[in-house]
Structures are given as C-alpha cells and as structure tokens.
Amino acid sequence: MSVGSWRLYAAVAAGGFRRYATYRAATLAGVFTNTVFGVILAYTYIALWDERPHLGGYDQSQALTFVWLGQALLMTMCVMGAGFEEELIERIRTGDIAIDLYRPADLQLWWLAQDMGRALFHLLGRGVIPVAFGAWAFDLAFPASALTWLQFLVAVALGMVVSYSFRFLLALAAFWLLDGAGIIQMAWLAGVFCSGMVLPLNVFPGLLGEVIRALPWAALIQAPADILLGEADAVSTYAFQAGWAVALLAAGRVLQAAATRRVVVQGG
C-alpha cells in the first residue's frame, strides 16, 4: 500500500472519529446509560459472587472489573450494532454501492478505517467515564503494570478488527438477501450472549463453554478483559484474535469480489 493510500485511510478514520464526536448529547446520554446499567450489573454480580465465590475463576473484584470493562467496550465493539453496517446495507439496497465499488479506494479498507475512527471515539468518549465511576464506587481489580495495560489496548484493537470484519460480512450478505435487518438483529442477539456482556464466558461449563469461547465474539470483550485481569496469556490471546480477524477479512474479500461481479453483470 502506497503512502498516499495510508494517508487516505488515515483521513477516513479521522473523519469517522469527528463524525461521532459531533453527537455530544447522544454521547452524554450513552455515558449515563452505560453507567446506570453498569451499576445494575455490578450489584447483580455481587449477589451472584456472594453465593458462588470464584465463579468462572474470578474473585468478586475481578468480576466487577469485568462488568465495567464490558460497559466501556459495548459500543467500542458494536456488540449491539449501531455501527457502519446499517448504512452499508442501505447503500446496497438503493444501489449506491455501485459508486463505492468503482471508487479508486478499496471498499473493505474504506469502511474499516471509518469504523476504527468510530470505535476509538466510543472507547474514549463512552468508555473512560463509566470505568472511572466504577473504580470510584466499587472495589475493582486493575493492574499496576503499564505493560499489562498496553497488552490490553492491543487486544482491544484486535477486537475492533474482528468486530468490523464480522459486521462487514453481514452487511455484504444484503446483496443476496431481500433485507439485511434480520441477519443483523440475529448477530446482535448472539453477540450479547457470546461476547461476555451477560456473563463472563468462563462461567459456561463443559462443551457449551468451549464452543462459545471459540467463537469470534469471544475476541471482543472476554479476550481483552482476561488480559487485563491476568487470566490469559497475551500471545495466545492475540493469536486467537488475529486468527479470527484474518479469516473474517479473507471471507470479506471473497464476498466483496462476488458482490463486485454481481454489480458489473447487473450494470452491463
């Protein structure tokens, strides 16, 4: 990739960040909502861990930390949607996607750059304050090591790529579906359950737990949280996340090529 291309996608990412930064009232409402739900989940976890100490290998402080990390990463990872995918589906539905495919910029990288800007804004704009409140109101288990925090941020970045790659695939499926809303909603429901938003994936027993922890959603919240909590090795976690990112990005390439051929045939 040339220097000019890097500059282009960097500008697209910066534009994505600025775009979401303009919605100040929505950001404040989101911070409030994340904080309220964090408090509700925290007291639910306190009751659960009082009955089952060390559930899933976490002590109560680790479990509470997991709650607030989940609130910080909820919008960052687009676990419940509200990312680029609905806009891309609408462009496919209206036919405007043909313009995008003929641009001198790669469709997958364009939306990836934009989504990275969005994710970074949500991490800073909607993630920091709820976590700071949680640290003030509850006994959280944050590491003292700067290296651990750095490893956590790398895992968050990889999780962002996995999240984007999966949603890009879902959006492109609208080329062959009458309506992409249904598959997006099904993915949201699966994401809430399989990412760790409801409960840490470590608490699921047996085969069910092994399957859920092997799915791409585990790379979004569970993987970064385990690194920060000292429950996972950074190298193996990165390998898991990177493996899913590469696989999903490659699948996106295949689907993008098929979609391009479809547009060319219909246009011809």
Side-chain angles (χ1 to χ4, degrees):
M1 188 183 297
S2 66
V3 174
S5 296
W6 279 111
R7 290 176 178 172
L8 169 65
Y9 296 123
V12 172
F17 186 98
R18 289 194 300 269
R19 174 183 178 183
Y20 283 87
T22 60
Y23 301 115
R24 297 173 185 173
T27 299
L28 291 174
V31 168
F32 176 77
T33 302
N34 287 138
T35 304
V36 169
F37 275 97
V39 170
I40 294 171
L41 281 174
Y43 280 108
T44 303
Y45 273 42
I46 287 172
L48 180 58
W49 259 259
D50 281 343
E51 293 295 322
R52 296 284 302 277
H54 301 288
L55 180 63
Y58 293 158
D59 60 29
Q60 190 174 92
S61 291
Q62 289 177 310
L64 290 173
T65 305
F66 189 94
V67 167
W68 291 102
L69 290 177
Q71 293 305 305
L73 297 177
L74 173 62
M75 285 301 297
T76 302
M77 300 298 182
C78 262
V79 175
M80 299 179 69
F84 74 95
E85 57 273 17
E86 293 183 0
E87 182 180 351
L88 181 53
I89 287 174
E90 180 62 17
R91 294 188 68 81
I92 294 172
R93 188 188 68 80
T94 60
D96 291 340
I97 190 66
I99 300 172
D100 301 336
L101 289 171
Y102 284 116
R103 283 176 179 165
D106 183 78
L107 182 73
Q108 188 181 52
L109 292 179
W110 176 282
W111 287 101
L112 173 60
Q114 186 179 102
D115 198 59
M116 291 300 101
R118 176 209 59 80
L120 180 59
F121 171 76
H122 281 307
L123 180 64
L124 299 175
R126 288 187 58 167
V128 173
I129 294 177
V131 171
F133 176 85
W136 172 76
F138 300 92
D139 179 24
L140 303 187
F142 286 139
S145 170
L147 177 61
T148 302
W149 281 100
L150 179 60
Q151 292 172 336
F152 165 74
L153 291 176
V154 172
V156 169
L158 286 170
M160 292 176 183
V161 178
V162 173
S163 172
Y164 162 78
S165 305
F166 185 71
R167 288 178 288 118
F168 183 73
L169 276 175
L170 295 179
L172 289 188
F175 274 103
W176 294 271
L177 300 174
L178 294 177
D179 184 7
I183 191 171
I184 292 293
Q185 290 172 357
M186 291 174 61
W188 293 350
L189 291 174
V192 170
F193 181 77
C194 299
S195 66
M197 277 303 304
V198 178
L199 281 172
L201 303 184
N202 297 341
V203 308
F204 293 102
L207 180 61
L208 174 63
E210 292 178 8
V211 170
I212 291 177
R213 288 189 291 272
L215 296 175
W217 291 287
L220 309 187
I221 294 177
Q222 185 70 49
D226 275 343
I227 286 182
L228 192 69
L229 295 172
E231 295 295 323
D233 173 71
V235 174
S236 59
T237 300
Y238 295 162
F240 170 74
Q241 292 178 297
W244 271 117
V246 170
L248 292 171
L249 286 171
R253 281 286 170 192
V254 173
L255 211 58
Q256 179 179 320
T260 302
R261 288 194 297 270
R262 184 182 179 92
V263 170
V264 171
V265 169
Q266 290 179 345

